[in-house]
Amino acid sequence: MSSTKPGYLRPIDFKHGVVDMNHGAGGRVGAQLVNELFARAFDNDFLRQGNDGALLSIPAGHKVVMATDAHVISPLFFPGGDIGSLAVHGTINDVAMLGAQPLYLSASFILEEGFSLAQLKQIVESMARASRESGVPIVTGDTKVVEKGKGDGVFISTTGLGVLPDGRNIGGAQARVGDVILLSGCIGEHGVAVLSQRESLQFETAIRSDSAALHTLVAAMLAAAPEGSVRVLRDPTRGGLATTLNEIAQQSAVGMHVQEVAIPVLPEVAGACEMLGLDPLYIANEGKLVAMVAPEAADAVLAAMRAHPLGQRATRIGLVTEDPHHFVQMTTRFGGRRVVDWLSGEPLPRIC
Amino acid sequence: MSSTKPGYLRPIDFKHGVVDMNHGAGGRVGAQLVNELFARAFDNDFLRQGNDGALLSIPAGHKVVMATDAHVISPLFFPGGDIGSLAVHGTINDVAMLGAQPLYLSASFILEEGFSLAQLKQIVESMARASRESGVPIVTGDTKVVEKGKGDGVFISTTGLGVLPDGRNIGGAQARVGDVILLSGCIGEHGVAVLSQRESLQFETAIRSDSAALHTLVAAMLAAAPEGSVRVLRDPTRGGLATTLNEIAQQSAVGMHVQEVAIPVLPEVAGACEMLGLDPLYIANEGKLVAMVAPEAADAVLAAMRAHPLGQRATRIGLVTEDPHHFVQMTTRFGGRRVVDWLSGEPLPRIC
């Protein structure tokens, strides 16, 4: 994303204009789009370096965390966000889930010929806002254009860089038998909010996506407990809470036992899920996290979560157990017990 | 790209199978594709961490360089490479052009429903080979799937991380009047090789893409001259050599003067360009670089380039001049002088 200034061109018509193949061809018109839209919205010292990469500082005594996500959500706009804010939040969260402090983002755009420049501007400005609010600048990027019918408006891939104090070790393989499983809030809002906008499913709802950057919540949790007591952090996105718990059980070679009554679900989400024949346990979230925490630290971590705006409804949902089959079991609200499997069967495509 | 092992699934049919929406849905089938294809091909300690991000080491006393590129090339396979090798080379080169040593790559894939798994495997394995040959591992990734007709087989975004010794300052704004302009080899091969495969243009040619990772060439150049004497490095991709020189002239607030006879073009490339009505100066390259070098260091840097397999035909093509208009001027082979403008008019879409 070089930000050299091309001359002799009319200003871009961000009201009525559309993306055309020239915007991706590497000439004057492409440079103009970068300058008048991306560089202006994301403006920071790194982008202003004007090279095909950004020169960054990493504080000494840290490891670096790198995470990447492609975003293909459909529709592009949904209650509570859009593909732009989601692309910022999703990748910040992947970095934060390793206990790292996110510092920098890169962004690459694949635009479809004919896509409205007004909508593109709205998405880029939403992305810029999410980046500023999170304190994580977009330092480098790229834009490509594909012919009409070879894309779907806009796809955005973001990569995040963060730093981790040497010695901190948080990850999916660190859960231990006896750890307490904490959940930062209600599940299912993102997926239901997106589904409510699908042409085929449109229904009335006040449900908004929970899309949010969780790095300050993570920092508050880590500050509340001795180093080493938060073992696993993960955001239950695609596949929902059920799939995330299964992934961790597999990686850590443990079982899990959760209480259905302890898992908070907004009544509107529960209602929509019933109507659509979906289980909130399998619905994507974009502003929630699940944590496995040493039992002696669980109360302190939970209190820190509840004191944070993004963890007010945080709760203890279960325990890590010994289980050679690595099953996730759930005591249902009727007192029975069942195995909660990975997502299978009908997928919910393009939810993130 | 979590690499937890799902069970109870039939092996993927990489001969006759196709991508389906389940591969992107975050459940067991998606995890299986990650495990049996991506994790196996790219295998390294970082991916084996099995989290949504990778934990990396950065040597002390270095700045970090981050660069990203979306790859949407069409067709996916072309003489001399494919979208997989290109996605590795292109991003390594963006990192290397700041004088940095590329260390890590991330990769995100946007797959189209119905895309052949055999072709996907071929692309992923080519990508893995390019990564191994370059010594730059793919440490984290993501895979999404879009409905048939909403993508085009596969798009790949890669992000590269590299390290730069503190104090090294190479970039598009560093060219100085009097610097010598070096070019590492013949131009136009990548673009012509790709165009030769387009359905609308298919023609007989032995021209292969020059797609290559240039970081070892850069290292050899930097080792050959005192720190500070290599001012600018850039790979003339989209928009070709002409656009790249204009970008640098603009950023450095200088002019350029190049000699047409000094710019090497293979006869087959010149012939194809004549046939297609294209100017090789505007055709994308994926394994060439242009450098602005202090005059007293130019001979040593040029010798180092020629001693490297990727710079055998390196040559001096011109000089950085003083010019308040920041024009790139060229003495033509007939002795005239003309301004070489940015790419404009008909674009060559989806060339990278």
Side-chain angles (χ1 to χ4, degrees):
Chain A
M1 196 182 274
S2 156
S3 67
T4 48
K5 274 208 165 44
Y8 326 119
L9 289 171
R10 272 197 274 183
I12 297 174
D13 180 357
F14 282 113
K15 242 189 184 151
H16 309 291
V18 297
V19 171
D20 71 44
M21 295 307 292
N22 271 303
H23 288 124
R28 217 188 267 286
V29 177
Q32 186 187 25
L33 185 69
V34 167
N35 287 322
E36 293 189 19
L37 180 58
F38 297 102
R40 195 171 289 173
F42 299 153
D43 185 51
N44 58 61
D45 287 345
F46 307 100
L47 272 182
R48 261 180 262 126
Q49 294 169 3
N51 291 307
D52 287 336
L55 199 59
L56 311 170
S57 290
I58 296 288
H62 287 75
K63 289 220 162 209
V64 166
V65 166
M66 185 182 200
T68 196
D69 256 327
H71 298 88
V72 299
I73 193 163
S74 173
L76 298 169
F77 300 90
F78 48 85
D82 55 59
I83 191 171
S85 53
L86 185 72
V88 169
H89 295 155
T91 297
I92 285 179
N93 291 347
D94 279 351
V95 171
M97 293 307 130
L98 288 162
Q101 184 195 347
L103 292 184
Y104 305 110
L105 287 172
S106 71
S108 83
F109 295 83
I110 298 173
L111 308 177
E112 185 189 10
E113 180 186 21
F115 185 58
S116 145
L117 285 173
Q119 284 191 34
L120 179 61
K121 186 160 188 268
Q122 197 180 336
I123 288 165
V124 169
E125 287 174 351
S126 159
M127 204 170 170
R129 200 160 43 243
S131 153
R132 271 195 308 274
E133 285 171 3
S134 310
V136 186
I138 295 163
V139 297
T140 191
D142 187 34
T143 307
K144 295 280 157 66
V145 179
V146 296
E147 299 86 352
K148 201 168 174 65
K150 301 291 185 181
D152 196 13
V154 54
F155 302 139
I156 306 176
S157 287
T158 42
T159 301
L161 273 199
V163 288
L164 189 74
D166 273 342
R168 183 174 292 170
N169 189 14
I170 294 172
Q174 305 304 319
R176 298 185 205 167
V177 175
D179 282 355
V180 174
I181 307 173
L182 303 176
L183 175 66
S184 68
C186 300
I187 59 168
E189 288 144 47
H190 175 73
V192 170
V194 174
L195 288 176
S196 75
Q197 301 300 301
R198 294 261 169 97
E199 272 170 47
S200 51
L201 289 174
Q202 218 149 24
F203 55 90
E204 283 296 320
T205 174
I207 302 163
R208 291 167 62 81
S209 166
D210 61 341
S211 180
L214 295 169
H215 57 313
T216 59
L217 174 63
V218 168
M221 293 167 69
L222 294 176
E227 193 71 48
S229 47
V230 174
R231 328 260 210 219
V232 182
L233 293 166
R234 196 164 284 178
D235 50 339
T237 57
R238 272 188 295 181
L241 180 64
T243 303
T244 294
L245 292 177
N246 272 284
E247 281 174 10
I248 298 167
Q250 194 88 47
Q251 276 185 274
S252 292
V254 296
M256 309 240 172
H257 183 193
V258 297
Q259 305 292 327
E260 187 172 17
V261 290
I263 299 171
V265 182
L266 290 179
E268 308 90 286
V269 171
C273 282
E274 208 171 296
M275 192 179 86
L276 298 169
L278 296 170
D279 183 340
L281 284 173
Y282 292 92
I283 308 267
N285 312 277
E286 290 289 344
K288 298 292 157 21
L289 64 80
V290 60
M292 320 279 151
V293 179
E296 63 278 10
D299 285 341
V301 173
L302 187 57
M305 292 168 83
R306 288 181 174 162
H308 189 283
L310 295 174
Q312 287 172 36
R313 294 203 54 180
T315 182
R316 180 189 295 247
I317 62 165
L319 285 173
V320 176
T321 59
E322 196 169 335
D323 181 347
H325 302 294
H326 314 150
F327 283 151
V328 175
Q329 301 205 52
M330 184 166 78
T331 298
T332 68
R333 59 183 71 253
F334 309 109
R337 218 186 229 224
R338 70 172 178 92
V339 169
V340 176
D341 202 359
W342 295 64
L343 174 69
S344 62
E346 271 306 285
L348 295 176
R350 301 186 60 183
I351 215 80
C352 59
Chain B
M1 194 183 275
S2 157
S3 67
T4 47
K5 274 210 161 47
Y8 326 121
L9 289 172
R10 273 196 273 183
I12 296 174
D13 180 357
F14 282 112
K15 244 191 185 149
H16 309 291
V18 296
V19 171
D20 71 43
M21 295 306 293
N22 272 303
H23 288 125
R28 214 189 270 285
V29 177
Q32 186 187 24
L33 185 68
V34 168
N35 287 322
E36 293 189 19
L37 180 57
F38 298 102
R40 194 172 291 173
F42 299 153
D43 186 49
N44 58 59
D45 287 345
F46 307 100
L47 272 181
R48 263 180 259 126
Q49 294 167 3
N51 292 307
D52 287 336
L55 200 57
L56 311 170
S57 290
I58 296 289
H62 286 76
K63 290 220 161 207
V64 166
V65 166
M66 184 182 201
T68 196
D69 256 326
H71 297 87
V72 300
I73 192 164
S74 172
L76 298 169
F77 300 89
F78 48 85
D82 54 58
I83 192 172
S85 54
L86 184 72
V88 169
H89 295 154
T91 297
I92 285 179
N93 291 348
D94 279 350
V95 171
M97 293 307 129
L98 288 162
Q101 183 195 348
L103 292 183
Y104 306 110
L105 287 172
S106 71
S108 82
F109 295 83
I110 298 173
L111 308 177
E112 185 190 8
E113 180 187 20
F115 185 59
S116 145
L117 286 173
Q119 286 193 32
L120 180 62
K121 187 160 186 268
Q122 197 181 336
I123 288 165
V124 168
E125 287 173 353
S126 158
M127 203 170 170
R129 198 160 46 243
S131 151
R132 270 194 310 274
E133 284 171 2
S134 312
V136 186
I138 296 163
V139 298
T140 190
D142 187 35
T143 307
K144 295 281 156 68
V145 179
V146 296
E147 299 85 353
K148 201 168 175 62
K150 302 290 185 181
D152 196 14
V154 55
F155 301 140
I156 307 177
S157 287
T158 42
T159 301
L161 272 198
V163 289
L164 190 73
D166 273 343
R168 183 174 292 171
N169 188 15
I170 294 172
Q174 305 304 319
R176 297 184 208 168
V177 175
D179 282 355
V180 173
I181 307 173
L182 303 176
L183 175 65
S184 68
C186 299
I187 59 169
E189 289 144 47
H190 175 73
V192 170
V194 174
L195 287 176
S196 75
Q197 301 301 301
R198 294 260 170 97
E199 272 170 47
S200 50
L201 289 175
Q202 219 148 20
F203 56 91
E204 284 296 320
T205 174
I207 302 163
R208 293 167 60 82
S209 167
D210 61 340
S211 179
L214 296 169
H215 58 315
T216 59
L217 175 63
V218 168
M221 293 167 68
L222 294 176
E227 193 74 47
S229 46
V230 175
R231 329 258 208 218
V232 182
L233 294 167
R234 195 163 286 175
D235 51 339
T237 57
R238 273 189 294 182
L241 179 64
T243 302
T244 295
L245 292 178
N246 272 283
E247 281 174 10
I248 297 167
Q250 195 86 48
Q251 275 184 276
S252 291
V254 294
M256 310 236 171
H257 183 195
V258 298
Q259 304 293 327
E260 188 173 16
V261 290
I263 299 171
V265 182
L266 291 178
E268 308 91 285
V269 170
C273 282
E274 208 172 295
M275 192 179 87
L276 298 168
L278 296 170
D279 183 340
L281 284 173
Y282 294 93
I283 308 268
N285 311 278
E286 291 289 343
K288 297 293 158 14
L289 64 79
V290 60
M292 319 280 150
V293 179
E296 64 278 10
D299 285 340
V301 172
L302 186 57
M305 292 168 83
R306 288 182 174 162
H308 189 282
L310 295 174
Q312 288 172 34
R313 295 204 51 181
T315 182
R316 179 190 294 247
I317 62 166
L319 285 173
V320 176
T321 59
E322 196 169 337
D323 182 347
H325 302 295
H326 314 149
F327 283 151
V328 175
Q329 301 204 51
M330 186 166 78
T331 298
T332 67
R333 61 182 69 252
F334 309 108
R337 218 185 229 224
R338 67 172 180 96
V339 169
V340 176
D341 202 0
W342 295 64
L343 173 69
S344 62
E346 272 306 283
L348 296 175
R350 300 186 60 184
I351 213 81
C352 59

